[in-house]
Amino acid sequence: MRRIELPEPVGPPGWGRRHSAFWAAATLSLLVAAVYWPILSHDFVNCDDPTYVTENLRVQGGLTWSNVVWAFTTTEAEFWHPLTWLSHIFDCQCFGLRSWGHHLTNLLLHLANTLLVFFCLQRLTGARGRSFVVAALFGLHPLHVESVAWVAERKDLLSGLFWVLALWTYARFVQKSEVRSQKSEPLRFAIGHLPSSIFYLLSLLFFALGLMSKPMLVTLPFVLLLLDYWPLRRLSFPPTLQPSSTPPLRVFREKVPFFALAFVGSVLAWWIQQSRHNLGRLDEFPLPLRVGNALVAYCRYLRKTFWPSDLAVFYPYPQGWPLDSVLAVTALLAAVSLTAIWLIRRRPCVAVGWFWFVGTLVPVIGLVQVGRHALADRYTYLPLIGLFLLLVWLIADLLPLWRYRLAALSLITCLALGACLTATHRQLQHWQNSETLARHALRVTTDNYVAENNLGAALHHAGKVDEALVHYAAALKIKPDFAPGHSNLALILAGKGRQEEAIAQWREALRLEPRYASAHYLLAGQFDQQGRVDEAFAHYQEALRLQPDFPEAANALGCIFAARAQWNEAAACFARAVRLKPDYGEAHNNLGTAYMTFGKLPEAAMEFEAALRLKPDYADAHGNLGKALYYQHRGPEAVLHFAAVLKTNPASLEALDLLARILATSPDPQTRNGAEAMRLAQHAVELTGHTNAQVLDSLAAAYAEAGRFSEAVQTAEDAARKAKASSQTDLAVQLAERLKLYQAQRPFRE
């Protein structure tokens, strides 16, 4: 079999050869870094970023074995993409929630992808100049802003990285396999001398890693077949039996593992979307509507490629498209496709580029509807490579061989890249924060209920409640069955004291979307405030069932169990909340309280200390830690915590009583302070109206420590009478013993 030679550079003499690959790569790096550098000052946005980073406790937990296991087992966000989760986890490990670090990772990935597109196309075609232009268009086109400037779209960038690596290693495999067919070579350890099978396995591995980043990559085997036709020229069309061509059976056999991975990835993605109830129903999105929207979407993508205006983060799904529009776009797509086939022998770049573009959009074109959008700019991240390849090669081939051809090509390139730079710079400004993003979407689209809702959420978060209310209402006016809009509106109504209206809104949200865990939790909280504990309990349970990693719901459910004295169940809920959210101070405090009821004082103290590390001014945790230390006979350590409680709440009866008791009865002479103990205890007695035997006991001990034994005796006798009257038998017995000490003018020591 003959060796297949990769094509030599095509074009006028010198184009693609005057500049080294190093300078081409350096220029690409400079251009991409310069245009995208402003994203380092951008915030997170309220579209999907909360799901992936800002409200995802697992991701924020950083690189732990538990989080790695979670990344490989979760289907959160309606995908199985463990490598995407790991990249976000790694960012949080490095940068926490500082948005610039997450944006920097996106920028670096896009920069790497741009360079890989250049090197990969140069490897495939041998045409350095044209590969540079395609890579520059890829790196600078404004349709890619969404994938780069949106932290949650890390999956586009990561999957794109593995996609291009898979293509590059496949090209190396083809080249090496043809060399091997000519002569056998010894195994060497330099990358350029690895055997062809290694590159084949690497290509398969990169494909698998890409699918673990985003399942849209299932079309890669079809693209490999396109590349086998051109530029690798391993297949012919129509098929021939020429001895010089690579046997088609061999080419297709090589793709079997790729197609197997694609099949598994497709089934897994479909199953997850189905199980998460994220697939559009046929009654909501009828098949004729899907087909019509898919055809129109192809043309809308083409229009946005050549005239990238009115770009938005969300494009509402239409009620329908006019038949004449659908027929027109169908005719256009058919004409281009037939032309590409007609030119396949003379201009193979047209067919390869066109069907690369059309084919890679198939998984997201909407025939299987995922989500509620009609199309998305981010879906073009990889498909546009095919379209750029078509345009660059076709323009270069069609220009006549004349002395100014290089100048003409350079001018066309500069104009195109200049336009891309300008449009991308302008589009990036809309991604500064949630408010700028939503306001831009509302300017360039109509009936955009998602943008109205997101703008309302941004304003609500900024404290502009009345403005937020207007946009929530606008979202519901456009789409009355939009469950998040009802839930957000309920939050504002609850804040304005209109509880019953808020409850009605949450009930409507749950009627529309019964699996809405957040709405269950918020409704439960409203019921809890109103004392409707049984209803709150049911909704907390449902929220936790629907979203098992919901720490706030677990903590709230634990509080209800605790109120019912079901401490085993309460402790389990609090422990779950702490496990899910280690920085959840309230849950640590509640778990410590549960441990105290079991008599596990050291464990309780550890939880209270954890709560205070997270929130040093947490009065409840100070008080609880003070009690835990006091009951362990660590009174001197408890003093500081009770003092901290009184600093926040001078009328805390428990803190006054226990601090007075420690100052009056501590075995440590440096801790005892009779005068201060007497002042605190007198304040506590006044608060109780001289009716609490426990507090009177503390006051008696304080009198004794201050040397005022007659008052100690009188107060102890009064306390004993009140203890007997209230059936506090044990306390009455203790007071009788202490009374003997006071009568003997001896203070009481614990």
Side-chain angles (χ1 to χ4, degrees):
M1 183 180 294
R2 74 174 179 90
R3 174 183 176 184
I4 293 181
E5 299 288 348
L6 293 177
E8 292 298 320
V10 181
W15 190 34
R17 292 198 292 259
R18 289 184 176 176
H19 302 288
S20 68
F22 171 80
W23 287 111
T27 302
L28 285 171
S29 301
L30 180 62
L31 289 172
V32 171
V35 74
Y36 277 105
W37 195 257
I39 66 172
L40 299 188
S41 64
H42 290 186
D43 292 334
F44 294 105
V45 296
N46 59 12
C47 301
D48 287 357
D49 280 359
T51 300
Y52 281 90
V53 180
T54 58
E55 293 180 6
N56 192 309
L57 302 176
R58 282 287 189 178
V59 170
Q60 294 172 26
L63 283 171
T64 65
W65 177 247
S66 173
N67 288 344
V68 171
V69 172
W70 171 84
F72 278 89
T73 55
T74 186
T75 59
E76 189 172 341
E78 289 78 45
F79 288 107
W80 184 74
H81 45 19
L83 296 188
T84 296
W85 287 123
L86 288 176
S87 75
H88 287 301
I89 289 171
F90 180 78
D91 272 4
C92 282
Q93 179 74 31
C94 296
F95 309 114
L97 290 180
R98 294 184 288 274
S99 61
W100 69 266
H102 299 257
H103 285 299
L104 177 62
T105 301
N106 274 22
L107 171 55
L108 293 176
L109 282 172
H110 183 58
L111 178 57
N113 290 344
T114 302
L115 296 177
L116 282 171
V117 168
F118 167 62
F119 288 117
C120 181
L121 288 180
Q122 182 178 246
R123 166 64 59 181
L124 284 164
T125 67
R128 182 174 299 160
R130 301 182 188 195
S131 300
F132 172 85
V133 177
V134 171
L137 289 170
F138 171 84
L140 302 175
H141 199 279
L143 273 179
H144 291 166
V145 166
E146 183 168 291
S147 295
V148 184
W150 193 356
V151 170
E153 282 309 309
R154 173 72 52 76
K155 52 185 176 286
D156 286 344
L157 306 171
L158 204 58
S159 62
L161 177 73
F162 293 120
W163 167 282
V164 186
L165 284 172
L167 296 186
W168 183 82
T169 49
Y170 181 77
R172 295 291 288 138
F173 156 70
V174 171
Q175 182 187 40
K176 296 294 290 184
S177 63
E178 297 306 327
V179 169
R180 189 183 61 181
S181 69
Q182 299 294 321
K183 60 178 182 178
S184 60
E185 293 185 334
L187 178 63
R188 301 176 186 172
F189 293 98
I191 290 180
H193 297 285
L194 290 175
S196 62
S197 58
I198 295 297
F199 287 103
Y200 178 83
L201 293 175
L202 282 174
S203 182
L204 196 61
L205 173 63
F206 288 135
F207 180 39
L209 294 176
L211 291 173
M212 294 166 68
S213 304
K214 186 176 183 179
M216 184 180 168
L217 266 64
V218 293
T219 57
L220 180 101
F222 299 96
V223 172
L224 294 182
L225 288 174
L226 289 173
L227 297 178
D228 280 326
Y229 179 75
W230 182 86
L232 296 176
R233 303 187 188 281
R234 305 177 76 212
L235 294 175
S236 59
F237 184 84
T240 67
L241 297 178
Q242 297 177 2
S244 60
S245 64
T246 305
L249 183 60
R250 171 185 166 185
V251 175
F252 284 99
R253 188 172 60 242
E254 292 167 357
K255 305 302 181 298
V256 170
F258 289 92
F259 278 109
L261 279 177
F263 175 77
V264 172
S266 300
V267 171
L268 182 62
W270 179 88
W271 177 78
I272 291 173
Q273 295 288 340
Q274 180 72 16
S275 64
R276 303 281 293 194
H277 303 276
N278 200 42
L279 291 179
R281 304 185 312 273
L282 281 175
D283 59 339
E284 186 178 4
F285 301 99
L287 187 58
L289 178 60
R290 298 185 188 202
V291 173
N293 183 71
L295 294 169
V296 173
Y298 271 117
C299 289
R300 294 177 74 184
Y301 284 131
L302 287 172
R303 198 273 296 172
K304 291 177 182 294
T305 300
F306 292 101
W307 193 258
S309 62
D310 300 340
L311 306 183
V313 68
F314 180 82
Y315 300 100
Y317 207 94
Q319 296 296 319
W321 291 103
L323 181 59
D324 57 346
S325 297
V326 175
L327 292 176
V329 299
T330 303
L332 175 62
L333 295 173
V336 177
S337 299
L338 291 173
T339 302
I341 295 172
W342 178 61
L343 292 172
I344 196 167
R345 300 291 293 272
R346 288 175 292 167
R347 296 283 185 266
C349 62
V350 176
V352 170
W354 174 251
F355 290 113
W356 176 323
F357 169 73
V358 172
T360 51
L361 278 172
V362 167
V364 293
I365 204 63
L367 297 177
V368 177
Q369 181 63 32
V370 177
R372 297 295 181 268
H373 48 272
L375 71 163
D377 298 346
R378 58 189 177 275
Y379 291 159
T380 67
Y381 192 69
L382 294 174
L384 282 190
I385 299 175
L387 208 54
F388 294 151
L389 184 149
L390 181 162
L391 293 169
V392 171
W393 257 259
L394 186 60
I395 291 172
D397 287 346
L398 290 179
L399 279 180
L401 290 173
W402 58 310
R403 60 184 300 183
Y404 299 112
R405 185 171 188 264
L406 180 58
L409 288 172
S410 300
L411 178 60
I412 294 171
T413 299
C414 290
L415 290 175
L417 296 183
C420 286
L421 277 166
T422 303
T424 295
H425 174 73
R426 184 166 56 245
Q427 183 64 18
L428 278 171
Q429 296 176 6
H430 306 311
W431 282 87
Q432 293 180 34
N433 53 57
S434 301
E435 184 175 345
T436 58
L437 184 63
R439 289 193 185 279
H440 173 69
L442 290 175
R443 283 194 298 269
V444 300
T445 60
T446 57
D447 294 336
N448 197 329
Y449 59 94
V450 170
E452 291 282 9
N453 180 72
N454 290 349
L455 179 55
L459 293 169
H460 194 178
H461 181 73
K464 302 175 182 179
V465 178
D466 292 333
E467 293 180 62
L469 184 62
V470 172
H471 290 284
Y472 287 151
L476 291 175
K477 184 178 180 180
I478 297 169
K479 190 171 177 62
D481 59 348
F482 184 48
H486 287 285
S487 182
N488 288 335
L489 181 59
L491 278 173
I492 288 185
L493 294 173
K496 290 180 173 291
R498 297 157 63 178
Q499 288 90 352
E500 292 307 315
E501 294 176 71
I503 289 173
Q505 291 294 328
W506 274 314
R507 289 191 187 279
E508 179 64 11
L510 290 173
R511 184 189 69 80
L512 295 167
E513 195 173 328
R515 299 178 56 83
Y516 196 172
S518 294
H520 279 291
Y521 171 75
L522 293 169
L523 179 57
Q526 187 61 54
F527 284 144
D528 212 354
Q529 288 182 14
Q530 294 182 345
R532 299 160 66 173
V533 180
D534 291 339
E535 292 171 276
F537 182 80
H539 284 284
Y540 282 138
Q541 278 191 316
E542 185 65 8
L544 205 54
R545 185 187 71 81
L546 293 170
Q547 188 176 326
D549 54 349
F550 199 158
E552 290 80 8
N555 182 69
L557 190 62
C559 289
I560 293 182
F561 278 125
R564 295 175 174 177
Q566 295 175 264
W567 285 104
N568 287 325
E569 294 84 351
C573 289
F574 296 142
R576 182 177 183 176
V578 166
R579 184 176 66 254
L580 292 171
K581 187 178 181 180
D583 61 348
Y584 196 174
E586 184 180 346
H588 279 289
N589 181 62
N590 291 339
L591 180 58
T593 302
Y595 282 148
M596 284 186 66
T597 64
F598 300 141
K600 299 180 177 180
L601 297 177
E603 292 88 343
M606 289 177 60
E607 294 300 327
F608 298 138
E609 288 169 351
L612 288 172
R613 281 194 298 272
L614 296 166
K615 189 178 179 181
D617 58 348
Y618 193 175
D620 285 349
H622 275 296
N624 287 331
L625 179 56
K627 286 190 292 183
L629 295 171
Y630 171 72
Y631 294 146
Q632 295 179 77
H633 307 291
R634 296 163 61 184
E637 297 173 65
V639 168
L640 293 176
H641 296 287
F642 289 130
V645 175
L646 293 175
K647 186 176 180 181
T648 303
N649 180 15
S652 173
L653 180 62
E654 186 174 57
L656 287 167
D657 177 54
L658 291 177
L659 183 55
R661 180 174 290 271
I662 293 171
L663 295 177
T665 66
S666 175
D668 179 18
Q670 294 185 346
T671 301
R672 293 196 300 272
N673 186 332
E676 180 64 11
M678 191 168 60
R679 185 187 70 80
L680 294 170
Q682 286 173 338
H683 188 191
V685 168
E686 291 171 0
L687 290 173
T688 61
H690 297 262
T691 61
N692 188 305
Q694 176 75 42
V695 175
L696 288 168
D697 180 25
S698 298
L699 179 58
Y703 279 139
E705 175 60 26
R708 297 166 62 171
F709 289 104
S710 60
E711 293 167 281
V713 169
Q714 183 180 355
T715 303
E717 290 174 342
D718 188 21
R721 286 193 297 272
K722 288 181 169 57
K724 292 177 182 178
S726 58
S727 300
Q728 294 176 274
T729 307
D730 291 341
L731 178 59
V733 172
Q734 294 169 8
L735 281 164
E737 294 298 321
R738 289 197 270 276
L739 184 59
K740 294 177 183 178
L741 291 174
Y742 303 151
Q743 290 171 340
Q745 295 193 343
R746 292 170 54 194
F748 169 59
R749 296 283 179 266
E750 284 193 325

